[in-house]
Amino acid sequence: MPAPPADLLQREAELRAIGGAIDRAAAGDGALVLLDGPAGIGKTALLRETRVLAEERGLRIHVAVASELDRVFAYGLVHQLLEAEVLSADPVRRAELLAGAAAHAEVVFDLAESAGIEPAHAVLHGLYWLCANLADEHPAALLVDDLHWGDRASLRFLEYLSRRLEGVPLLIVATSRPGEPGADQELLDLLAAAAGDRHLVLGPLHSDGVAALLERWLPDAPAPEFVGGVLTATGGNPLLVESTAREAAGRGMAGTAAEAGQLEDLTGGTVVAGLQRRLRALGDDAKLVAEAAAVLGDRRTLDDLAAVTQLGADEVRAALDILAAAAILQPASLAFTHPLVRAAVSRGGAPAAQADLHARAASRLRQAGARPEELAVHLLAVPPAADPAVVGVLRRAAESAVAEGAPESAVPLLRRALEEPAPTAERPVLLLELGELEEQTGDPAALARLDLALKEGLSGDLAARAHQSRAARLITTNPVAALDELEAARACAGDPDLLLRLESGQLDVTAYIASLAERRMGLLRAGREDPAASPAMLVHLAQDMAYRGGPVDETMAYVHRALADGRLMGVIGPTSPTFHLLILTLRHAEQPDLAEQLLAQGDAIVERLGSFMGVLYANHARAFWHLMFGSIAKAEGFARTALAAADQLNVVLPRQSAQIVLAEILVEQDRAAEAMAVIDEIPESPLLDETIIGTDLLSVRALLRAGQGRRAEAEADLRRAIVQLERRGWRAPLKSRARLRLAPLLADGEAAQALAEHAIAAAREAGTPGALGAGLRVLGRLRAGAGGTAVLREAAAVTAASPMRLEHGWALHDLGRMLRVEGARVEARDHLRRALELAEACEAPLLERLARDELAASGARPRRSALSGVASLTPSERRVADLAAEGRTNREIAESLWVTRKTVEVHLGKAYGKLGIRTRGELPKALGTAAAP
């Protein structure tokens, strides 16, 4: 067997792991391999061998090599990997590659102007589906060298992709160097975690490997003493060993024991220093061509090199031959033999000469029609020269990065544009653009930057944008100041759509933060008196009316006016808190049909925009919808999807809100311990008294604590929640249910009944039968004898006419239980059987268990609960099965749930087994329609 190449010595274990990953990808399941180790350890050599092995297995190869300059080029690695494939495709194939959610990736390749209002997540989603589409055509491999120099947007995408490789015939192999200054270590760590046991940390050569490598350069086998000396001096680093061997051979050494004493002098310089010495010895032309190649990158042409060096074509060719013979450049290529070689060449040039090369490169690329992002890479390395054209290029490059969802790449571009400096007339707008990006990326410089932009002359809509961005920066630390900024923004704005969004944001702030209640009341008073109130104002008036327990007719009048001109959906949209509050308002007004209709419209918009925040809001709203009107099993699936979206977005308040609704659902699922664990994850905080979700959290926590026998703590939580409700004037009985949950805990019967009667009165005034039934149920349980039974009969009657089927089931259960206790067992059984039917229809295990227990106590023999079928599906299985039953394809399901097709296939397969079916067409019947909205 022939000896392995010098740079693959002692890499058998790594090659086996890579071979296994290649086989896995070729068979249809993706894999990530991360090759980690210090410079010169052999990562690039393994990556080259990976390409050979992958091509032999039939994988289509896509390659990217990062450089230190690439960190400012948003999606620079993605462009290297995928752009040629997309742009060279004929129209039919391109349409197939960018079909469905993959269309969100078009903006990266300049095929669309924007990826939507949340470009970061939309682009990630789109690029994932583009890769999936490519892999569907043909198993593929993405090979990336020097990941530590990659731009953040590309790293974020590769990490996103690496978690979704199951069922995608796609291999990712990347190299990375630990401890590299400026590297995005957080994302690199996430990639390492995603690689798991395929995170291969390359170790040094052992003595026999060092000896074998020395033998390739020395005339005879080296003595053990010489090998040991080289191993000690180089630490077994293959590149250092080879560099030492090259130096030794150049000095005519034979590797004897006596020569071991000369090794300190031989290895005294660094690899970089040695390479720079070699380069200087090759002559001025070769040195200049090498430095220009390092600036231009290996994707440029010989003509580009000639233009930048200002040498003739023949002179450039001669220099390239010299550089190839010296193992600095690869033969017939502008690519360096190793990233360290490129780094050594780049660092060896004088700063002024390097800047001149970058300036010439930018000029050459501008003439060739390169995109602004490519020019910006070079302009950042050129000293400021008061050139307006440079400012224009940098601003366009920043605009492109923002459209792609990479504001962190745009910030240094705009900072450099200010240093040029920008023309005086452009400065205020440039300061605004930079301040907005600094706010988005969490930079504390944002406030001062935006303030300076305002002082330098912004007006109108531009000034409004500055105030809006300042508000976004202040919202978590100083909500009063944030509200002031939004008011200032509205005073400046002229564009009607911007004005509407600003008003929506202003109202949202006051709705979610209790300390702004008085400001909110002032805004709402003005809104009630305004015959031309905006859709945003009308939604908030409806929400305020519903939460205060006002008449449903008045609430719905506001709602219908808000929807009348279409601007609520068209301008504000389903990705906003205002829309979310509208859905919650319809829940309290007990209007499930309109809520479902609006959610369906919102889903279409969210899918088109690729909005992950929209996914969060929609699933949170649907979880609440099903908790009140539909299926508890379905509600859990929606709540968990909302929670996953909140985790992905790293948003605290929406995450806690999703946890609260999940806990309420788990209670109805008869899984109180799990619900308590979910609530315990939410830390105790003064914010509980400040935000709109505080009463909901305190109420469900009290319910769970009461179930654990912690009645005093439960009572304290509920009293605290009621204080918050009264502070805001919220009387609607089902807003947190705090009054209804406190009543059964009170020892004072009169006080308990007063709480229930308060809820009943509010529900009667509002005209909400479901809420009325909930209050009557509590009052009926508090009263003894015939008085209690009569109240529970009324509860059962009013909830029968409401859309809240589960509430009706509980009313029937409570009535049946009281009748059984009173000895009216026959009548009790009728109510309890109906309660059991509703529990099964609503897929509500707690009510089902308790109804069965009561039936058994009444002398009946209820049938056993199903241990298979629909009831046995997990929330994820049920969610996927429901969508499949609606007629969606696996791909459409995966796109809408932001999961992989393999995940959908696995869930469907398990659902088929549990449901006892074999085909998709059997799903609707197997799932049943009773629990569907």
Side-chain angles (χ1 to χ4, degrees):
M1 178 180 293
D7 46 14
L8 292 177
L9 285 168
Q10 298 182 339
R11 297 299 181 216
E12 294 81 6
E14 289 85 355
L15 288 169
R16 282 195 299 273
I18 291 169
I22 292 171
D23 290 342
R24 176 185 171 93
D29 248 347
L32 166 68
V33 179
L34 185 61
L35 305 173
D36 211 344
I41 202 68
K43 305 183 296 295
T44 299
L46 274 172
L47 196 65
R48 284 199 296 264
E49 184 66 10
T50 298
R51 177 170 188 162
V52 172
L53 297 173
E55 286 177 333
E56 289 175 353
R57 279 293 268 121
L59 272 63
R60 186 174 290 157
I61 308 299
H62 305 267
V63 178
V65 181
S67 73
E68 290 173 282
L69 295 174
D70 285 335
R71 287 176 179 162
V72 299
F73 187 175
Y75 288 110
L77 293 178
V78 170
H79 280 282
Q80 292 186 53
L81 290 167
L82 303 173
E83 183 172 67
E85 194 78 51
V86 172
L87 298 186
S88 66
D90 62 61
V92 173
R93 178 168 179 257
R94 186 185 293 177
E96 292 172 349
L97 291 177
L98 296 171
H104 293 305
E106 290 179 350
V107 66
V108 176
F109 309 108
D110 294 335
L111 299 173
E113 292 185 358
S114 173
I117 60 172
E118 292 171 42
H121 289 91
V123 168
L124 292 179
H125 196 43
L127 287 171
Y128 163 74
W129 281 104
L130 169 59
C131 288
N133 292 343
L134 281 169
D136 282 348
E137 284 187 342
H138 198 283
L142 308 181
L143 309 181
V144 185
D145 207 2
D146 289 330
L147 208 56
H148 48 275
W149 282 333
D151 64 280
R152 181 170 176 80
S154 293
L155 294 181
R156 193 166 52 218
F157 164 64
L158 290 170
E159 191 277 328
Y160 184 90
L161 178 61
S162 70
R163 292 184 278 111
R164 291 163 171 80
L165 291 173
E166 189 179 22
V168 181
L170 181 67
L171 172 70
I172 306 173
V173 183
T175 71
S176 181
R177 187 187 307 168
E180 184 68 19
D184 197 317
Q185 198 57 51
E186 179 184 2
L187 284 171
L188 292 174
D189 289 344
L190 289 173
L191 279 161
D197 58 6
R198 292 191 180 89
H199 176 209
L200 308 178
V201 181
L202 276 59
L205 296 175
H206 303 307
S207 58
D208 52 348
V210 172
L213 191 50
L214 289 170
E215 283 184 38
R216 298 180 191 224
W217 289 88
L218 301 178
D220 299 307
E225 293 83 355
F226 191 87
V227 172
V230 171
L231 179 60
T232 299
T234 65
N237 183 292
L239 188 64
L240 295 179
V241 172
E242 188 165 21
S243 178
T244 301
R246 185 194 296 271
E247 291 283 336
R251 298 186 187 189
M253 298 172 68
T256 64
E259 292 171 328
Q262 303 175 37
L263 286 173
E264 182 176 351
D265 173 61
L266 194 66
T267 61
T270 65
V271 173
V272 170
L275 285 167
Q276 290 173 349
R277 285 196 302 271
R278 283 167 50 204
L279 183 60
R280 287 193 294 271
L282 298 178
D284 291 342
D285 283 0
K287 182 174 182 295
L288 177 60
V289 168
E291 290 173 350
V295 165
L296 281 168
D298 57 13
R299 298 183 295 282
R300 293 301 163 192
T301 65
L302 184 144
D303 289 341
D304 294 329
L305 203 55
V308 170
T309 59
Q310 299 180 334
L311 296 173
D314 291 339
E315 293 171 299
V316 171
R317 288 190 188 94
L320 290 174
D321 290 340
I322 293 171
L323 292 166
I328 289 175
L329 290 181
Q330 296 177 26
S333 170
L334 300 188
F336 286 85
T337 54
H338 193 281
L340 267 186
V341 177
R342 177 178 178 172
V345 171
S346 294
R347 294 167 188 170
Q354 288 285 305
D356 189 46
L357 286 173
H358 279 290
R360 291 186 212 162
S363 177
R364 170 67 180 177
L365 295 178
R366 184 185 290 114
Q367 293 170 8
R371 57 165 55 94
E373 306 94 291
E374 296 174 275
L375 301 179
V377 167
H378 299 289
L379 293 176
L380 287 173
V382 177
D387 185 348
V390 169
V391 175
V393 170
L394 292 169
R395 287 183 69 183
R396 289 194 297 276
E399 182 182 339
S400 178
V402 171
E404 295 168 359
E408 67 280 351
S409 296
V411 167
L413 300 176
L414 294 186
R415 287 177 177 168
R416 173 63 182 78
L418 278 172
E419 293 170 3
E420 188 61 16
T424 303
E426 290 186 41
R427 265 185 60 85
V429 177
L430 186 52
L431 287 165
L432 167 64
E433 292 169 352
L434 178 54
E436 287 176 324
L437 294 177
E438 287 171 333
E439 186 281 314
Q440 290 176 38
T441 55
D443 193 314
L447 283 176
R449 188 91 61 189
L450 292 163
D451 188 49
L452 182 59
L454 288 164
K455 288 178 180 176
E456 292 201 9
L458 287 182
S459 61
D461 290 343
L462 294 176
R465 281 172 47 189
H467 286 297
Q468 183 182 31
S469 194
R470 283 176 59 83
R473 182 69 183 160
L474 291 165
I475 188 64
T476 57
T477 57
N478 191 342
V480 174
L483 192 58
D484 290 340
E485 292 287 348
L486 288 170
E487 288 181 354
R490 288 182 64 190
C492 298
D495 178 74
D497 288 352
L498 177 58
L499 273 167
L500 180 56
R501 286 191 291 268
L502 288 169
E503 184 179 15
S504 175
Q506 187 180 18
L507 289 164
D508 289 339
V509 170
T510 64
Y512 280 84
I513 300 176
S515 61
L516 300 175
E518 288 188 19
R519 297 277 290 272
R520 178 172 179 77
M521 288 303 99
L523 292 171
L524 294 180
R525 277 194 300 272
R528 289 190 197 97
E529 296 168 1
D530 184 0
S534 74
M537 174 60 74
L538 292 166
V539 167
H540 283 266
L541 288 171
Q543 181 260 340
D544 183 66
M545 179 68 72
Y547 280 34
R548 286 179 177 276
V552 166
D553 289 348
E554 294 185 28
T555 297
M556 294 308 298
Y558 284 131
V559 169
H560 291 306
R561 284 175 60 196
L563 297 171
D565 64 3
R567 297 182 72 219
L568 180 69
M569 296 298 285
V571 177
I572 299 175
T575 63
S576 72
T578 291
F579 178 82
H580 190 54
L581 284 174
L582 171 60
I583 301 300
L584 297 183
T585 297
L586 292 172
R587 180 172 70 90
H588 282 286
E590 300 182 19
Q591 303 291 317
D593 294 341
L594 181 56
E596 176 67 12
Q597 177 186 334
L598 292 174
L599 282 169
Q601 293 176 21
D603 285 347
I605 296 172
V606 166
E607 189 170 342
R608 175 171 56 81
L609 295 176
S611 167
F612 214 45
M613 184 61 78
V615 170
L616 192 165
Y617 282 147
N619 281 275
H620 180 274
R622 286 185 183 278
F624 259 130
W625 189 99
H626 277 282
L627 177 61
M628 284 189 71
F629 309 116
S631 157
I632 299 301
K634 290 183 180 182
E636 183 181 354
F638 285 115
R640 292 195 181 279
T641 301
L643 189 57
D647 286 337
Q648 184 76 24
L649 290 165
N650 193 29
V651 284
V652 176
L653 191 65
R655 185 184 198 281
Q656 292 178 348
S657 189
Q659 288 173 295
I660 291 165
V661 68
L662 177 59
E664 293 277 8
I665 291 161
L666 290 172
V667 169
E668 297 291 350
Q669 290 271 28
D670 204 13
R671 291 150 61 188
E674 290 180 55
M676 192 78 250
V678 169
I679 291 301
D680 282 343
E681 290 179 8
I682 302 176
E684 181 68 34
S685 165
L687 289 177
L688 290 184
D689 296 317
E690 275 297 306
T691 63
I692 194 171
I693 67 170
T695 60
D696 301 319
L697 173 58
L698 291 167
S699 178
V700 71
R701 187 171 74 182
L703 176 67
L704 293 164
R705 284 176 168 177
Q708 294 175 334
R710 300 159 63 185
R711 294 175 67 90
E713 292 172 85
E715 182 177 339
D717 275 346
L718 291 168
R719 290 190 181 281
R720 182 175 165 190
I722 291 169
V723 168
Q724 294 182 36
L725 292 170
E726 291 177 348
R727 178 182 177 188
R728 293 190 178 217
W730 290 344
R731 299 174 62 244
L734 301 188
K735 176 53 184 149
S736 83
R737 294 184 183 247
R739 295 182 178 92
L740 295 177
R741 286 173 175 169
L742 177 59
L745 297 180
L746 297 181
D748 182 343
E750 288 187 8
Q753 290 193 45
L755 283 172
E757 287 166 351
H758 176 283
I760 292 167
R764 290 193 194 279
E765 181 181 336
T768 47
L772 175 58
L776 290 168
R777 275 205 306 122
V778 172
L779 182 61
R781 292 199 308 269
L782 291 171
R783 288 183 178 173
T789 305
V791 174
L792 288 175
R793 287 188 191 279
E794 185 183 359
V798 297
T799 53
S802 85
M804 296 174 59
R805 294 180 304 158
L806 183 59
E807 191 64 47
H808 182 44
W810 279 114
L812 291 168
H813 166 272
D814 291 357
L815 175 59
R817 182 179 184 278
M818 184 164 282
L819 289 168
R820 176 192 63 78
V821 170
E822 293 174 351
R825 294 192 170 193
V826 174
E827 184 185 358
R829 285 196 287 268
D830 289 339
H831 296 302
L832 291 168
R833 286 193 181 98
R834 179 60 183 144
L836 180 57
E837 290 172 3
L838 284 168
E840 291 173 339
C842 294
E843 298 177 289
L846 178 61
L847 176 58
E848 184 178 344
R849 174 174 65 81
L850 295 179
R852 288 181 189 283
D853 290 348
E854 285 297 328
L855 277 168
S858 73
R861 293 184 178 180
R863 64 184 186 281
R864 290 181 175 274
S865 177
L867 297 178
S868 61
V870 177
S872 67
L873 299 180
T874 67
S876 297
E877 291 164 358
R878 179 59 186 273
R879 185 85 179 90
V880 168
D882 284 335
L883 290 171
E886 293 174 8
R888 298 205 190 191
T889 65
N890 285 10
R891 180 191 174 107
E892 289 170 340
I893 296 170
E895 287 181 345
S896 67
L897 297 181
W898 294 58
V899 298
T900 67
R901 282 172 298 185
K902 183 70 172 180
T903 299
V904 173
E905 291 166 7
V906 169
H907 287 329
L908 272 181
K910 292 180 177 178
Y912 285 1
K914 293 178 179 180
L915 296 172
I917 62 175
R918 295 184 179 181
T919 68
R920 207 180 198 90
E922 298 174 86
L923 272 171
K925 182 178 179 181
L927 292 172
T929 57

